[in-house]
Amino acid sequence: MTFRDDSELGGGNISAGGGGGLGRGMVIGGGGIGTIVIGLIIYFLTGSTGGVPQQSQQGQGSGQGISAGQEQVNRDLAACKTGADANKNTTCRIKATTISLDKVWPTVLRGYQPPRGGTKIMPSDAQSINTACGVAGADTGPFYCPSDQVAVFQLDFMDRVIKKMGGTNAPFSQEYIVAHEFGHHVQTLLGDINKSQQGRGAQGGSVRVELQADCYAGVWAAHADKGEDALLKPLTQEDISGAITTAQAIGDDTIQRNAGRNVNPESFSHGTSAQRVKWFTQGYRTGAPAQCDTFSGTI
């Protein structure tokens, strides 16, 4: 119950998943399932290959009707009017979080603009989604495509998969995941997103970009419940602890151990559990984007 019941949730560029451009690009994987994709080559730390984004083919995904799940998502979005709605429904919660993010970030970052491609929500019956970065399968996990500035979230991941991984699907934990992907949008606006290609492994650019997105999620959290017009109620220690539990569950080392594999720092893409907690906490404690410099020194 993180949102104020009487918060008004007008606006927001958000819709059911299934749209976007076709082409090649770089997907920034969030949530710990996907790695950064360069040229649409990826492997998943969970061992899954079914959800690997593939190079888009002209016409792929076109000519398909709206699924029952997409229709439900759009109905839920249309019915999402207040914070009370967001406290009851995951789709509405994602919408409310994006509205809060677009409200908070201009106060801490000069020149902030919302993602021009908006936010897409993939229902459980969706098989894939087209973006300018290619076609992503349903099990890709939350991601952000810089090419068309679109953030994508799968309802199945938010409601079920993250809990199966050892995290929590508590409201603020879901909001943390949304805020992480918007952190990649901030990096796009600042011109830092391409630093993901600078080196690999535990100290590489991919890890540094992902940890900075965690820090930016913390920055949003530090401000999202402040002020008379804040959409969120004052966050509790239970809220923050839930986000930390989720950050721990999606650390590279934890994912590899849970998959029964030896921990291999050279394959890291998002950072260890401890690092993810550290940088989210750094952002939340300081509330300052300038304190999220993961590109200098060791992390």
Side-chain angles (χ1 to χ4, degrees):
M1 306 295 286
T2 53
F3 286 92
R4 296 182 177 180
D5 287 345
D6 59 353
S7 298
E8 295 184 1
L9 303 179
N13 183 8
I14 183 168
S15 61
L22 297 173
R24 297 172 63 93
M26 176 178 64
V27 172
I28 304 299
I33 293 290
T35 63
I36 286 184
V37 184
I38 307 297
L40 302 180
I41 299 175
I42 190 172
Y43 72 92
F44 288 88
L45 296 178
T46 58
S48 168
T49 57
V52 176
Q54 303 293 328
Q55 179 176 339
S56 298
Q57 302 296 325
Q58 186 66 33
Q60 184 171 3
S62 63
Q64 299 178 355
I66 300 298
S67 72
Q70 287 175 309
E71 290 179 347
Q72 184 61 55
V73 166
N74 284 329
R75 283 195 296 268
D76 288 345
L77 289 171
C80 178
K81 304 296 185 183
T82 68
D85 299 322
N87 288 329
K88 300 174 185 177
N89 180 280
T90 300
T91 295
C92 191
R93 186 174 302 118
I94 295 171
K95 175 181 178 179
T97 305
T98 65
I99 292 172
S100 175
L101 284 155
D102 286 336
K103 186 176 182 179
V104 167
W105 270 107
T107 70
V108 294
L109 180 67
R110 181 179 299 177
Y112 175 84
Q113 294 292 327
R116 66 172 180 267
T119 297
K120 304 293 183 184
I121 298 180
M122 290 178 64
S124 298
D125 65 354
Q127 298 300 309
S128 63
I129 184 172
N130 290 338
T131 73
C133 297
V135 180
D139 57 354
T140 303
F143 69 90
Y144 171 82
C145 176
S147 298
D148 52 6
Q149 294 186 9
V150 63
V152 179
F153 303 95
Q154 299 86 353
L155 286 180
D156 193 49
F157 180 92
M158 304 293 274
D159 284 334
R160 184 183 65 84
V161 175
I162 191 63
K163 189 173 182 179
K164 184 177 179 181
M165 294 175 67
T168 170
N169 58 4
F172 187 70
S173 295
Q174 294 181 339
E175 293 155 27
Y176 151 69
I177 292 171
V178 177
H180 172 98
E181 297 310 325
F182 269 62
H184 291 312
H185 177 60
V186 172
Q187 293 167 331
T188 299
L189 296 177
L190 294 176
D192 291 330
I193 200 73
N194 288 328
K195 292 180 180 179
S196 62
Q197 302 179 60
Q198 299 175 359
R200 297 184 178 183
Q203 294 293 319
S206 171
V207 170
R208 293 174 184 272
V209 162
E210 295 297 340
L211 293 179
Q212 186 178 60
D214 277 334
C215 188
Y216 285 158
V219 169
W220 164 76
H223 297 275
D225 62 348
K226 306 296 191 299
E228 293 182 358
D229 60 346
L231 299 185
L232 271 67
K233 298 177 181 178
L235 294 171
T236 66
Q237 185 56 51
E238 182 179 2
D239 293 327
I240 301 302
S241 295
I244 287 175
T245 296
T246 296
Q248 290 172 328
I250 54 182
D252 287 324
D253 53 340
T254 298
I255 291 175
Q256 290 181 354
R257 288 192 192 97
N258 289 343
R261 299 207 298 272
N262 293 329
V263 174
N264 177 14
E266 290 306 308
S267 69
F268 284 1
S269 62
H270 284 66
T272 66
S273 295
Q275 287 173 319
R276 300 201 71 164
V277 171
K278 169 190 172 181
W279 284 101
F280 170 78
T281 303
Q282 170 88 345
Y284 182 65
R285 180 179 60 83
T286 66
Q291 296 300 312
C292 294
D293 180 11
T294 58
F295 302 109
S296 301
T298 59
I299 47 179

